[in-house]
Amino acid sequence: MFGEYSVHDNQADPADGDPGPCSGAALGNLPTEPASFVGRERELHFLDLLLRERRLVTLTGVGGVGKSRLALRAVTDPRQARPDGVWWVDLSPLRDPGLLTATVAHAIGLADHSARPLDEELCAWMADKELLLVLDTCEHLVADCRHLVGELLQSAPGLTVLVTSREPLDCATEELVDVRPLPCEGPDSDALALFRARALAATPRAAAAFADPARTAVAADVCRRLDGIPLALELAGARMRLWTLEEMAERIGERFEVLSDLRAALPPRHQTMRTTIGWSHELCAPLERLLWARLSVFTGDFDVAAARAVCAGGPLPAARVERVLAGLAAKSVVLHTTERGAGARYRMLDTIREYGHDWLDELGEVRIVTDRHAHWYAALCRAADQGWLGPGQVDWYRRITAEHAQLRTALEHLLTADPTAALEMAGALWFYWFACGHVHEGRAFLERVLRAAPPTGAAYNQAVWALGLTTLLQGDMDTAQRLGEECTRDAARLADPERELRAAYLHAVSVLMPGDAVRALALAGPRARASHGGRTSAPGWLLCKLATGYALCDLGRFEEATQEARALREACAELGERWLRAYADYILAVAALGMGDHGEAARHVRAMLSGKRLLGDRFGIALGLDLLAAAVAGLGDGELAARLLGAGHAWWRTVGRPQMGSPSLTALRDQGERQARAAIGDAAYETAFLGGAASSTG
């Protein structure tokens, strides 16, 4: 009926009866650590002790000093593993404090669907967990992070939080660690080692610069000039591709003498960092400086196509953007990342992005480039809307997930600059909000755009429908029903058959979930069975087919439900669509169970779970585990049924209300429990149930 998918690689295959990850698998989502890490042995030892003794540790220091790298190296240590995982939340792209809790929840795998405040759900979910949470780059959200961290630590005694920020959170229990620059003194200093490593990475010819003591002394002087700040050393090391060590020392000395007085109001380390970035900026070619400034509108990482679309113009033609971008990457102004598996992507460190944004402001281009950014991502969402229920479904999910930070930034801008475009963009993301674990965020954005935009037209109808889907998943059936009725009226006025089908699905499910299968069938059935000119690939028709199958199962009309599900599955197979196809398998399993064929039911639900595992659909996995438990209990395997029910319980906790409060789903789950208890007894049932819950990724 609905679903969420959020891909995590540490899932086992529930279709094989294994409800959790492989034994010993590390839970978490730590980013890939860069290849080299220099020094910091004392700090790492200190952090190792603190993270085992204190519950809140904050790494503070100037931008570019290496707080994030130190944090990542510290928590990657196997000694910091926790039973419920080590989870990393990058807050640098986040600009709206209202999305802080949603960002944390999604990062740790909580795709809550309830209508309760998300911070309450997050606290409840963490209450019995033992995990390590890293909040990286918090300085622009200090007050909000302070509040959330305080709530979480109070609710979850097994939680440890590591924060990186340019300033403390000022919590009562906070243990502060001032991350200082790398030591610069001596021929074996950490600063010199990092400078040497980055120079050699830029060009093998740099090896000669460190071959004798006299030249090593020159390199050490460069490190002292840069105050041992890692980012400054990396920027300088990248310049060794073009300069000798002596040229480097001379030019950086001249640059610092010119600017030291101009930056006197800044603290020394801030002054050094700002001056180093300014020096790197001056050494860029004019087109590189222009691209640097324009790239500052991106939050998070981006691909070449986006950079070309947003940053081209004037003296920088689109055909040259990629080459100029490569030049900035060679100078360490932008970083190359392929972590998301979606082709080459780039990102800019906050300190460097802030400098570029100052220049963009000086150029008077902030508004025009920000507009380009927002409209590029709005167009991407429109393209995704055409492919959500087709063969590119998983690829679109991955691409939109990779662009999540950019989508937020674009929507925030359009809400003020172009509310109609914001309305279209938010409505086009319906599948992402509804099926990909962003229900709270989607509802918030949709409510905002509907207040801001004119209440007419197809885009408004689409946004109302999308809002109805989010309320549906949150269990707010009264609101979902009201929105379904509104969509139906508007679609009739628009004379749009596809919108009428979508509205019928929303309206039908909003009455089906509380238990009115007769009315649901009356709303969706006639539309699902109509030919619609042979267009059986229309999303609205597929959704009505799904609602009809569910309603028939609830009414005990299992043979008819089987026919509907087979037709739906066949249509999905022809489209190459997987999300709805798996739910068709679910209906086939429910119908088989209703007709007493437990083996057939188990076969269909295993197929359904395999599809849901592929898509990471947490709601679907929770549904399927309950159903598989009922099927295997009917086959006499009470122990496996109990383990599956325990695993299902854990998965339900990640999506909010167990069984969504649905009478039919609750009855199905209870049936499996009764049969399992009858087969193996209460004591054995409880043991197996707890074992399944403990071994589940839920």
Side-chain angles (χ1 to χ4, degrees), residues 245-329:
L245 183 59
E246 289 73 20
E247 288 173 328
M248 167 76 68
E250 179 182 357
R251 296 187 185 192
I252 199 170
E254 292 171 353
R255 172 69 185 178
F256 272 52
E257 288 169 8
V258 168
L259 283 189
S260 60
D261 291 339
L262 297 178
R263 301 295 180 191
L266 293 172
R269 293 177 194 167
H270 293 264
Q271 179 179 329
T272 299
M273 192 66 256
R274 184 78 180 184
T275 302
T276 304
I277 295 175
W279 171 64
S280 295
H281 186 263
E282 287 192 353
L283 297 175
C284 287
L287 288 182
E288 289 176 335
R289 295 182 206 170
L290 180 60
L291 181 58
W292 180 345
R294 290 175 175 175
L295 287 173
S296 69
V297 301
F298 287 96
T299 49
D301 53 25
F302 55 89
D303 61 16
V304 173
R308 189 182 296 118
V310 173
C311 300
L316 180 59
R320 295 194 62 182
V321 167
E322 186 169 5
R323 193 178 354 160
V324 178
L325 181 60
L328 289 176

Side-chain angles (χ1 to χ4, degrees), residues 530-565:
S531 65
H532 301 290
R535 291 187 66 243
T536 57
S537 62
W541 182 85
L542 297 172
L543 290 168
C544 281
K545 207 78 172 168
L546 180 65
T548 299
Y550 273 109
L552 288 168
C553 281
D554 277 9
L555 292 170
R557 294 160 62 176
F558 298 120
E559 291 185 359
E560 293 173 77
T562 298
Q563 293 175 358
E564 294 292 335

Side-chain angles (χ1 to χ4, degrees), residues 18 52 98 140 273 411:
D18 181 358
R52 284 187 273 171
H140 57 305
M273 192 66 256
L411 268 171

Side-chain angles (χ1 to χ4, degrees), residues 30-273:
L30 294 179
T32 302
E33 192 176 12
S36 62
F37 184 90
V38 174
R40 303 288 196 194
E41 286 84 2
R42 184 185 64 82
E43 293 96 327
L44 287 169
H45 178 69
F46 185 45
L47 272 176
D48 178 57
L49 295 176
L50 282 179
L51 290 172
R52 284 187 273 171
E53 297 175 357
R54 299 285 193 270
R55 298 190 60 211
L56 173 59
V57 180
T58 298
L59 305 183
T60 61
V62 66
V65 80
K67 300 182 294 296
S68 298
R69 286 293 312 277
L70 177 59
L72 181 57
R73 172 53 64 103
V75 301
T76 303
D77 189 321
R79 290 174 295 183
Q80 293 302 334
R82 301 294 197 275
D84 294 300
V86 181
W87 302 92
W88 185 277
V89 187
D90 179 12
L91 297 178
S92 61
L94 187 63
R95 292 296 172 263
D96 180 2
L99 294 174
L100 173 62
T101 305
T103 301
V104 174
H106 194 72
I108 65 173
L110 175 62
D112 179 67
H113 293 164
S114 72
R116 287 176 59 191
L118 187 55
D119 56 350
E120 293 181 16
E121 292 294 336
L122 182 59
C123 287
W125 185 84
M126 279 196 178
D128 60 351
K129 298 289 192 295
E130 186 177 343
L131 57 81
L132 173 56
L133 178 67
V134 185
L135 300 180
D136 183 40
T137 312
C138 296
E139 55 266 9
H140 57 305
L141 300 164
V142 166
D144 299 276
C145 287
R146 180 192 309 123
H147 175 75
L148 179 60
V149 167
E151 293 288 317
L152 292 175
L153 289 174
Q154 185 175 4
S155 304
L159 172 66
T160 301
V161 181
L162 176 61
V163 170
T164 74
S165 176
R166 296 182 199 175
E167 58 182 282
L169 297 189
D170 287 330
C171 292
T173 60
E174 184 177 29
E175 185 77 32
L176 292 177
V177 177
D178 181 19
V179 181
R180 298 177 178 273
L182 295 172
C184 300
E185 300 304 323
D188 298 318
S189 72
D190 289 344
L192 184 59
L194 178 60
F195 180 42
R196 181 190 296 116
R198 296 302 178 261
L200 291 174
T203 173
R205 295 193 306 273
F210 304 93
D212 65 76
R215 302 193 78 194
T216 299
V218 175
D221 184 60
V222 169
C223 294
R224 283 191 293 273
R225 285 276 190 168
L226 297 176
D227 284 343
I229 298 175
L231 179 56
L233 295 169
E234 294 195 9
L235 291 171
R239 297 304 302 178
M240 292 292 288
R241 182 182 286 105
L242 301 176
W243 292 345
T244 66
L245 183 59
E246 289 73 20
E247 288 173 328
M248 167 76 68
E250 179 182 357
R251 296 187 185 192
I252 199 170
E254 292 171 353
R255 172 69 185 178
F256 272 52
E257 288 169 8
V258 168
L259 283 189
S260 60
D261 291 339
L262 297 178
R263 301 295 180 191
L266 293 172
R269 293 177 194 167
H270 293 264
Q271 179 179 329
T272 299
M273 192 66 256

